[in-house]
Amino acid sequence: MELEFERVWLPYLYLYGVGGLIFFTGLIMVLKSPAYSHKRLKDRKWLGTLLFGYFWYAGMHGVGILAAIS
Amino acid sequence: MLPLLATLLSVPLQEGGEAASAAAMQAAAKAGGSPVFWGIVIGYFVIVLGFGGYFARFNRSTNDFFFGGRRFAWWLITMSIVATGVGSHSFLKYSSKAYEHGFSATMAYMNDWFFMPLFMFGWLPIIYYMRVRSIPEYFERRFNPGVRVLATISLLLYMLGYIGIGFVTMAKTLLPIVGPHLGLDLIQIVWIVAVVAGVYITFGGQTAVIFTDLLQGFILLFAGIVLFLLGLDFLGGFDAFWNALPDDFKLPLANFNDDPGFNFVGIFWQDAVAGSVGFLFMNQGLIMRFLACRSVSHGRKAAAFNVLFALPISAIAVANAGWIGRAITTTQPDLLPPETNPDSVFVHVTALLTSPAGFGFFVAAVTAALMSTVDTLINAVAAVTVNDIYRPWMKRKGVESNDKHMLRIAMMVSAGATIVGVFTAWLFSQFAQLYEAHAFFQANLTPPLVAAIFLGIFWQRFNSIGAVATLIGGAIFIVLGVKFPETLVAPFSHNIPLQDGKSYIYIGAFYNLVACFSIGILATFLSSKPSDKKLEGLTMWTVDKARHAFKGGTPNDRQGFKMPVRWEVHEELPDGAIVVDQETMEGLAAVEGDLIYICDKRWWLGGLRSTHGNLRGSHQHGEVAHVAADVAANGHFLAGKMVVLEKEM
């Protein structure tokens, strides 16, 4: 399919760039706050889940775009 | 599977999957005159009402009525959140945009993860451990009573707006079906819907709502996916469907900034930012769901499972009628003409693909879920009005009021909210499409509250003056932005053209958020710091104090196990007391004074028969829990049924 880069990838880069800035800023704030304790196993598991979620969605949208343009 | 579904729900198919029915619009109108259709619709409503009525028995106080008593498992709350989201305006709204723009209509369902860290570790523990029952209550505790009043007004406007959107959606669903027969217009149907909603509200409270949501959440997801399968079957398979869609339709994200009516960057700020924070942090219905969870951990599980797995499935369920509709328009325009009103695509496609009985099931599922959503919102308006306005007012007058009186007031407020909802419905009906109406409402109403809550939770320096400036000053700047978009909003517009040359629908949210945050930050720096007392447990930086306050002492973080035991009532024990043997105590990794969650052993009850208590020492009588009379009553435990004990925190 012939679509311009701006139509296909610019929204994706903006979503996971600006969205990523929000997400990772939030994550760093959590890690620096007393709400999170690395000693608590549950907290470490939730940290893993949060990171998984970001890449899960980035992957889903990426695969969706590749399927559309292939 | 497909032939079975086709037999049960759809129109008879001829060879090649072509429908023998007339065009889609006639099919919808024809169903409106079918006794089978109305029999299915009314039967469905009666079943759902009876289901909710059964669970209303589990209310013992206004605490149960409004909050469900902090007892439910994560999977119940997940389905309740799914039903709240999918069962609102989603089917009509997203099918409409999917018909016009394809897969990118799912954007709003697929951009909710960015604020999850701050929700899971910030807002959720704060509301749960500090027992914050409403947004206004948070504002009073974090700031002062004046800010609470402002927040209450903002929140009531927000919820009344959503009630109006619910009414418009129901009316738009029914218009193509009953309109041709009764000669009614949209607003006349809104009035009928509002009257039915008034009767429909069972006052069953939060427990009834959560269990009705469980039923409806499953039915809606099932119905949405079945509709997609029927559509694929109708078109002749997935390849035929895929090839019938224009190339641009297949992209999961919309054009960046070309189309003022639907563009990626505007929807990012309106939905992924303002909408996500609005949904996660200031939706009273959602707060009530999370307060009904058995623990913070279960609340996190509910939120994570919902966003990671339930929302992508829901996105397909609610939008696919639009995709199928577009494929039908491309291949068989005589069945669904290109000029079809996008807001009625869901109804027309469903009517085209199903028999009157199947169509009755789909329409009943969507309208009953909408009724539940409106019901929940009206319940939330009543909760805020009773707890944030009426109760404090009575307290100031020195009048003690009982639960029965409060419930009567809640019912009167509910009736008033229904009438106001009709008027907001009229306002929303002035927009060309439901999607635009909702987006414009969300972009312009949520930012002041979003900014004030956000700064309150995550910035300790933020004070009462900053909060007042955010709520009042922010609202003023938003009004100015709507009046003078080319001057104020254009610099934030990412070069999106004006809609009809006069307003921005989505990107206004970006300007509004910048204005509200800027005013709040500026006003805070120009005034003094808040006292430490105002921060304890109410910001992410002091949430450890919230855990302390919840426990009434130092939290015990030692990892324990769930312990199944028999139970018996000991009348001499003080309220809330639970006493267990030494071995059980060690298994729980608990000490005297710890909070204990006690639940019927049957997991599939989801916590319906459960409650909380305090561990008051140990006994020498084997693996049996001695519980106070009120613990047994609040838990609705059945004699002879085992319970499971679990240490909280």
Side-chain angles (χ1 to χ4, degrees), chain B residues 468-479:
Chain B
V468 171
T470 304
L471 292 170
I472 295 178
I476 291 167
F477 270 85
I478 287 170
V479 171

Side-chain angles (χ1 to χ4, degrees), chain B residues 170-294:
Chain B
M170 273 189 273
K172 286 200 173 201
T173 305
L174 296 171
L175 184 63
I177 302 164
V178 301
H181 296 280
L182 304 175
L184 298 171
D185 65 19
L186 189 73
I187 294 302
Q188 288 168 321
I189 296 176
V190 165
W191 273 109
I192 293 169
V193 161
V195 170
V196 174
V199 175
Y200 188 81
I201 293 169
T202 58
F203 300 111
Q206 191 69 353
T207 302
V209 165
I210 283 170
F211 276 87
T212 307
D213 278 353
L214 175 71
L215 174 72
Q216 299 199 120
F218 274 117
I219 288 174
L220 287 168
L221 288 183
F222 173 77
I225 299 302
V226 164
L227 188 66
F228 193 32
L229 295 174
L230 289 173
L232 294 178
D233 193 49
F234 181 88
L235 289 160
F238 187 81
D239 284 348
F241 160 72
W242 186 258
N243 294 328
L245 295 176
D247 285 347
D248 195 51
F249 262 55
K250 296 169 186 170
L251 288 166
L253 302 172
N255 67 88
F256 188 75
N257 59 359
D258 296 339
D259 180 354
F262 192 76
N263 53 76
F264 164 80
V265 72
I267 290 169
F268 175 82
W269 288 101
Q270 170 261 320
D271 191 275
V273 180
S276 290
V277 176
F279 187 68
L280 286 170
F281 289 74
M282 54 175 270
N283 183 315
Q284 182 66 26
L286 210 70
I287 286 176
M288 289 154 86
R289 298 290 195 288
F290 283 114
L291 290 179
C293 277
R294 70 168 63 161

Side-chain angles (χ1 to χ4, degrees), chain B residues 587-619:
Chain B
L588 291 166
V591 293
E592 191 165 346
D594 276 350
L595 298 173
I596 298 292
Y597 175 71
I598 175 169
C599 176
D600 189 296
K601 196 182 172 189
R602 294 165 294 175
W603 69 268
W604 48 268
L605 286 172
L608 183 65
R609 297 184 184 280
S610 70
T611 189
H612 299 259
N614 274 302
L615 200 55
R616 297 286 175 93
S618 59
H619 60 63

Side-chain angles (χ1 to χ4, degrees), chain B residues 153-423:
Chain B
I153 293 166
S154 302
L155 196 70
L156 286 173
L157 286 172
Y158 174 77
M159 291 191 292
L160 289 167
Y162 266 103
I163 292 169
I165 285 177
F167 285 160
V168 168
T169 309
M170 273 189 273
K172 286 200 173 201
T173 305
L174 296 171
L175 184 63
I177 302 164
V178 301
H181 296 280
L182 304 175
L184 298 171
D185 65 19
L186 189 73
I187 294 302
Q188 288 168 321
I189 296 176
V190 165
W191 273 109
I192 293 169
V193 161
V195 170
V196 174
V199 175
Y200 188 81
I201 293 169
T202 58
F203 300 111
Q206 191 69 353
T207 302
V209 165
I210 283 170
F211 276 87
T212 307
D213 278 353
L214 175 71
L215 174 72
Q216 299 199 120
F218 274 117
I219 288 174
L220 287 168
L221 288 183
F222 173 77
I225 299 302
V226 164
L227 188 66
F228 193 32
L229 295 174
L230 289 173
L232 294 178
D233 193 49
F234 181 88
L235 289 160
F238 187 81
D239 284 348
F241 160 72
W242 186 258
N243 294 328
L245 295 176
D247 285 347
D248 195 51
F249 262 55
K250 296 169 186 170
L251 288 166
L253 302 172
N255 67 88
F256 188 75
N257 59 359
D258 296 339
D259 180 354
F262 192 76
N263 53 76
F264 164 80
V265 72
I267 290 169
F268 175 82
W269 288 101
Q270 170 261 320
D271 191 275
V273 180
S276 290
V277 176
F279 187 68
L280 286 170
F281 289 74
M282 54 175 270
N283 183 315
Q284 182 66 26
L286 210 70
I287 286 176
M288 289 154 86
R289 298 290 195 288
F290 283 114
L291 290 179
C293 277
R294 70 168 63 161
S295 67
V296 166
S297 187
H298 274 254
R300 284 174 180 161
K301 273 186 203 169
F305 192 86
N306 177 52
V307 179
L308 289 177
F309 304 110
L311 282 185
I313 295 168
S314 303
I316 295 170
V318 300
N320 75 76
W323 306 332
I324 295 292
R326 174 54 59 187
I328 292 172
T329 295
T330 305
T331 55
Q332 302 170 71
D334 53 318
L335 289 179
L336 194 68
E339 64 273 14
T340 301
N341 176 357
D343 270 356
S344 63
V345 159
F346 170 73
V347 174
H348 289 321
V349 167
T350 308
L352 189 65
L353 298 178
T354 57
S355 63
F359 186 47
F361 168 75
F362 278 95
V363 169
V366 170
T367 48
L370 269 161
M371 282 285 183
S372 287
T373 300
V374 170
D375 185 357
T376 302
L377 278 163
I378 292 171
N379 184 306
V381 168
V384 167
T385 307
V386 167
N387 294 323
D388 294 293
I389 297 173
Y390 190 74
R391 208 187 287 267
W393 179 64
M394 292 293 276
K395 212 172 173 180
R396 263 203 302 276
K397 281 174 62 179
V399 179
E400 271 298 313
S401 47
N402 59 27
D403 260 9
K404 213 170 182 177
H405 176 71
M406 286 300 181
L407 279 177
R408 202 167 53 241
I409 295 296
M411 289 181 190
M412 286 164 64
V413 172
S414 298
T418 304
I419 292 166
V420 175
V422 171
F423 289 104

Side-chain angles (χ1 to χ4, degrees), chain B residues 497-541:
Chain B
L498 278 164
Q499 171 90 326
D500 302 327
K502 56 185 179 188
S503 66
Y504 293 103
I505 293 176
Y506 310 101
I507 199 67
F510 186 26
Y511 155 79
N512 294 338
L513 286 165
V514 170
C516 293
F517 273 93
S518 303
I519 292 165
I521 291 167
L522 190 66
T524 296
F525 276 130
L526 294 174
S527 49
S528 59
K529 281 182 179 177
S531 69
D532 286 349
K533 189 95 181 93
K534 283 287 180 195
L535 302 175
E536 279 183 9
L538 294 169
T539 75
M540 193 169 77
W541 311 101

Side-chain angles (χ1 to χ4, degrees), chain B residues 20 32 68 74-75 86 93 238 266 290 348 357 432 468 471 480 493 539 542:
Chain B
W74 67 271
W75 53 270
V86 173
K93 186 179 123 175
F238 187 81
F290 283 114
H348 289 321
V468 171
L471 292 170
L480 290 173
S493 70
T539 75
T542 54

